């Protein structure tokens, strides 16, 4: 290559900026490049496994039931739907008696819905959805239903089935010839019911931490069978009888199984299904103390009541120790609750105590109390009520140094806390609502004396006002509204998203002793509304709030 050609090729190479093209053009480098720099290593991206979930249904309707002419020969049970937007109530069943249930449907990511309704009427099975205005007939059975249980087989109502037992040829329930059917909740009325078994009514689901179904537990006469999510048998634990399984307790990712020799197994759902993993006993305790309402779990320990003892069982190693002995302080009554740092226990039905989770030291914190109590991370909500007095307590454990009543404890007279279990997009929780009575002039006074209707008397609150509170902070959020007349709380229902129901009874002196259903919206001020359909119907919520801090999927999914 002569000098002119070389210059031309060099100019073309530089102008195109295509290094490497120089060699392709036939121009060799006079010097070798330095290739000693290390190669760039590109790390593969992390694989993110998205937790399964189903969308939360839009809450347009709430369902409740009502007993017409209770106690009479003409007594009938009906189902009702409350249209939230229209503000109207519609009866969902004709004149035949009905059975109703509000099952808890898992949605994944620690979410669940309690807004669906199942109704059985004359052998017909109907599904009421919170986002639809009309019922869907799911199946028609040839005879009446003796018993039924709802079992999710995955997330959403479409993967939930109901097992029903119907009488056999003798038309009598609970005999050997009874028939069993399994029906998906999204089935069409023309679909033939699938075959079920008697064991299907005894299945207990267990869950992954996000409430995706892991499998089922099925007790037999001699063993506990562990089934996968498809219902296939994976393993058995021998030596466990039906009576012992009653005391089994599960919560979150922790599963505790109690065997006949009182061994407690603590394993996740995946471990229960892993046949290659030998299940080892965490500890040994008396079978009779495994009461779900007297057992709580945090990230480190299981706490339970054993007679007068409060036991702490370590999840890391199974160390079983007495945290506190109440034998000298009184009999333990009620359920076991917890805050971040303390266990909360009622003694003698009237005194509330704290037990430090670390030191085991106890102290009386509220006296007197009556009924149940609710706890947040550092707040305690409790009530006291007798014939002529009603007090609502709110204790702040962040700054409390004295017992309640006292400093750092808010006491509201003529008031009562209502505890609502909430099913929301963010998960399952609790919402306290304060009901406060008001003294008013008597509409029929005695001219000789000043006459007033007391704010509270004999369980009835006069013109009660309702205020929602933030559970963790103990601060008021919204004024929900007020009811007229004298009212007594009968049932506390649940809240679906922000919409809830409860029932109140008017003072029978006013000629009305049947319960009315009350609607409210936790996100809307002055939303309280009596939606009672008729003065002759005793109305009831389909599901009451459960304060035991166990998974709501473990309770109440049976007719």
């Amino acid at each position: 290559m002569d000098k002119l050609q070389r210059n031309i090729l060099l100019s073309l190479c530089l102008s195109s900026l295509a290094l490497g093209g120089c060699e392709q053009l036939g121009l060799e480098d006079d010097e070798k490049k330095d290739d000693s720099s290390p190669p760039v290593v590109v790390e593969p991206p992390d694989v993110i496994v998205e937790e399964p979930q189903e969308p939360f249904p839009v809450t347009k309707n709430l369902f409740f039931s009502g007993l017409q002419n209770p106690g009479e020969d003409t007594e009938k049970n009906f189902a009702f739907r409350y249209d939230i937007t229209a503000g109207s109530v519609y009866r969902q069943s004709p004149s035949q008696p009905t059975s109703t249930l509000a099952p808890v449907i898992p949605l994944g990511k620690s979410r669940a819905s309690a807004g669906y309704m199942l109704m059985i009427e004359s052998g017909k099975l109907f599904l009421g959805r919170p986002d639809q205005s009309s019922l869907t007939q799911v199946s028609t059975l040839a005879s009446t239903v003796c018993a039924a249980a709802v079992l999710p087989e995955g997330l959403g109502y479409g993967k939930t089935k109901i097992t029903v037992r119907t009488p056999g040829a003798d038309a009598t329930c609970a005999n050997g010839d009874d028939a069993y059917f399994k029906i998906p909740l999204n089935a069409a009325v023309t679909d033939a019911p699938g075959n079920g078994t008697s064991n299907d009514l005894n299945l207990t689901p267990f869950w992954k931490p996000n409430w995706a179904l892991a499998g089922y537990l099925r007790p037999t006469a001699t063993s506990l069978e562990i089934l996968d999510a498809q219902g296939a048998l994976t393993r058995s634990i021998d030596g466990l009888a039906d009576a012992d399984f009653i005391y089994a307790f599960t919560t979150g990712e922790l599963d505790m199984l109690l065997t006949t020799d009182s061994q407690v197994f603590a394993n996740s759902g995946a471990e229960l299904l892993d046949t290659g993993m030998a299940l080892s006993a965490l500890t040994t305790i008396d079978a009779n103390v495994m009461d779900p309402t007297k057992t709580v779990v945090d990230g480190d320990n299981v706490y339970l009541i054993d007679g007068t003892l409060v036991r702490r069982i370590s999840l890391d190693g199974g160390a079983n120790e007495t945290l506190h002995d109440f034998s000298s302080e009184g009999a333990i009554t009620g359920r076991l609750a917890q805050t971040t740092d303390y266990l909360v226990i009622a003694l003698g039905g009237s005194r509330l105590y704290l037990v430090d989770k670390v030191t085991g030291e106890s102290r009386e914190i509220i006296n007197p109390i009556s009924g149940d109590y609710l706890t947040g991370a550092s707040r305690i909500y409790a009530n006291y009520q007798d014939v002529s007095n009603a007090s609502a307590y709110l204790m702040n454990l962040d700054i409390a140094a004295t017992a309640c009543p006292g400093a750092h404890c808010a006491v509201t007279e003529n008031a009562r806390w209502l505890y609502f279990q909430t099913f929301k997009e963010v998960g399952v929780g609790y919402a306290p609502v304060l009901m406060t009575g008001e003294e008013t002039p008597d509409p029929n006074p005695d001219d000789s004396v000043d006459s007033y209707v007391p704010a509270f008397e004999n369980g009835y609150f006069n013109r009660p006002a309702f205020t929602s509170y933030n559970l963790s902070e103990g601060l008021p959020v919204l004024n929900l509204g007020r009811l007229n007349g004298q009212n007594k709380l009968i049932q506390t229902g649940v809240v679906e998203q922000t919409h809830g129901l409860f029932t109140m009874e008017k003072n029978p002196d006013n000629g009305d002793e049947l319960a009315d259903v009350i609607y409210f919206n936790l996100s809307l001020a002055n939303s309280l509304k009596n939606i009672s359909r008729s003065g002759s119907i005793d109305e009831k919520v389909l599901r009451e709030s459960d304060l035991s801090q166990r998974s709501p999927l473990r309770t109440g999914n049976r007719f």
Side-chain angles (χ1 to χ4, degrees):
M1 180 182 295
D2 59 26
K3 186 174 181 180
L4 177 60
Q5 290 175 320
R6 184 180 180 90
N7 289 339
I8 293 174
L9 289 175
L10 181 60
S11 299
L12 288 173
C13 180
L14 294 175
S15 64
S16 66
L17 298 178
L19 191 64
C22 300
E23 291 184 16
Q24 294 175 7
L25 291 171
L27 183 64
E28 298 293 338
D29 290 337
D30 292 334
E31 297 181 0
K32 290 291 185 179
K33 294 179 180 178
D34 183 7
D35 296 328
S36 61
S37 58
V40 177
V41 178
V42 179
E43 295 290 340
D46 293 334
V47 177
I48 300 176
V49 179
E50 184 69 18
E51 293 181 6
Q53 64 173 322
E54 285 289 312
F56 211 106
V58 178
T59 307
K60 299 179 180 179
N61 304 281
L62 298 175
F63 300 94
F64 61 95
S65 66
L67 193 63
Q68 188 177 51
N69 303 323
E72 301 180 10
D73 293 338
T74 56
E75 176 182 286
K76 293 178 182 178
N77 189 54
F78 298 108
F80 297 94
R81 175 179 63 88
Y82 176 61
D83 186 314
I84 296 172
T85 302
S88 301
V89 174
Y90 303 93
R91 197 170 78 181
Q92 300 298 283
S93 52
S95 58
Q96 293 91 348
T98 64
S99 298
T100 53
L101 173 71
V104 175
I105 305 296
L107 302 175
K109 288 193 172 181
S110 299
R111 299 144 58 249
S113 170
Y116 292 83
M117 178 192 73
L118 284 172
M119 183 179 79
I120 297 177
E121 182 181 75
S122 299
K124 298 177 181 179
L125 177 63
F126 295 89
L127 173 70
R129 293 175 50 178
D131 54 356
Q132 291 189 355
S133 59
S134 58
L135 300 183
T136 301
Q137 185 174 345
V138 176
S139 181
T140 300
L141 301 170
S143 58
T144 58
V145 174
C146 303
V150 177
L151 278 176
E153 296 184 353
L155 300 180
Y157 83 96
K159 292 187 177 180
T160 299
K161 295 182 180 180
I162 179 172
T163 296
V164 298
R165 188 183 75 208
T166 62
D170 60 0
T172 303
C173 290
N175 282 349
D177 63 346
D178 287 354
Y180 296 85
F181 301 97
K182 186 177 287 187
I183 305 164
L185 296 190
N186 63 348
V189 65
T190 55
D191 294 345
N195 292 325
T197 68
S198 59
N199 277 332
D200 291 337
L201 291 177
N202 297 321
L203 292 178
T204 299
F206 62 95
W207 306 88
K208 299 174 184 178
N210 62 352
W211 284 9
L213 180 68
Y216 302 97
L217 310 177
R218 181 171 62 191
T220 68
T222 59
S223 66
L224 178 69
E225 297 179 342
I226 300 176
L227 287 64
D228 63 18
Q230 288 71 46
L233 179 65
T234 61
R235 70 196 305 177
S236 296
I237 300 177
D238 295 330
L240 184 138
D242 292 345
D244 301 295
F245 183 71
I246 293 175
Y247 302 102
F249 172 78
T250 63
T251 179
E253 66 176 327
L254 178 70
D255 293 88
M256 301 173 61
L257 310 179
L258 187 62
T259 64
T260 52
D261 57 359
S262 302
Q263 293 186 95
V264 178
F265 296 93
N267 293 95
S268 68
E271 291 170 343
L272 288 176
L273 295 170
D274 185 358
T275 56
M277 172 178 287
L279 302 181
S280 58
L282 184 66
T283 189
T284 300
I285 60 172
D286 184 344
N288 293 318
V289 307
M290 285 302 296
D291 183 345
T293 64
K294 297 181 180 180
T295 308
V296 296
V297 183
D298 60 19
D300 302 312
N301 301 289
V302 179
Y303 305 91
L304 55 86
I305 296 173
D306 181 0
T308 62
L309 305 179
V310 178
R311 293 193 177 277
R312 178 176 61 196
I313 302 171
S314 171
L315 295 175
D316 184 13
N320 184 348
E321 57 186 325
T322 299
L323 184 63
H324 188 80
D325 186 349
F326 275 105
S327 57
S328 62
E329 293 160 286
I332 298 176
T333 57
R335 65 185 179 89
L336 180 64
Q338 66 175 326
T339 66
T340 301
D341 300 321
Y342 299 97
L343 301 176
V344 183
I345 304 171
L347 267 61
S350 62
R351 295 174 292 143
L352 203 62
Y353 273 71
L354 297 181
V355 176
D356 190 292
K357 288 183 176 181
V358 177
T359 66
E361 295 179 355
S362 72
R363 60 180 171 127
E364 183 180 279
I365 196 69
I366 303 178
N367 184 9
I369 67 162
S370 57
D372 215 330
Y373 34 91
L374 180 65
T375 58
S378 61
R379 300 294 189 274
I380 298 176
Y381 301 80
N383 295 309
Y384 173 72
Q385 185 172 307
D386 60 21
V387 173
S388 56
N389 298 286
S391 300
Y393 303 119
L394 173 53
M395 170 65 75
N396 183 352
L397 296 179
D398 288 334
I399 56 177
T402 59
C404 188
H408 313 307
C409 177
V411 182
T412 305
E413 301 296 339
N414 302 311
R416 173 174 177 167
W417 289 109
L418 280 61
Y419 313 128
F420 289 94
Q421 191 174 28
T422 59
F423 294 81
K424 297 183 177 183
E425 181 64 42
V426 295
V428 179
Y430 297 95
V433 173
L434 185 65
M435 173 175 62
T436 308
E438 178 186 54
E439 184 181 77
T440 59
D442 193 332
N444 302 301
D446 184 340
D447 293 336
S448 62
V449 296
D450 292 333
S451 184
Y452 291 87
V453 178
F456 171 83
E457 187 176 37
N458 293 324
Y460 291 88
F461 292 83
N462 185 50
R463 298 194 72 241
F466 297 81
T467 305
S468 64
Y469 273 69
N470 180 288
L471 173 66
S472 60
E473 298 177 359
L475 298 176
V477 179
L478 275 180
N479 173 17
L480 299 177
R482 182 186 294 275
L483 296 175
N484 289 320
Q486 293 174 286
N487 298 264
K488 179 172 69 175
L489 177 69
I490 302 298
Q491 289 179 301
T492 304
V494 299
V495 172
E496 180 80 357
Q497 292 285 40
T498 60
H499 307 279
L501 299 175
F502 61 100
T503 59
M504 300 286 284
E505 178 188 286
K506 290 280 190 179
N507 192 326
D509 292 341
N510 298 329
D512 184 3
E513 56 184 13
L514 301 179
D516 294 340
V517 65
I518 311 298
Y519 164 80
F520 66 96
N521 185 340
L522 284 177
S523 296
L524 184 62
N526 297 309
S527 58
L528 200 76
K529 180 180 180 182
N530 187 328
I531 59 172
S532 175
R533 175 63 182 253
S534 169
S536 64
I537 294 180
D538 191 22
E539 294 162 337
K540 299 181 181 299
V541 298
L542 297 185
R543 174 174 288 274
E544 294 189 72
S545 292
D546 177 18
L547 302 182
S548 65
Q549 300 182 349
R550 53 186 166 175
S551 165
L553 290 167
R554 314 216 34 86
T555 60
N557 273 8
R558 297 178 184 274
F559 281 91

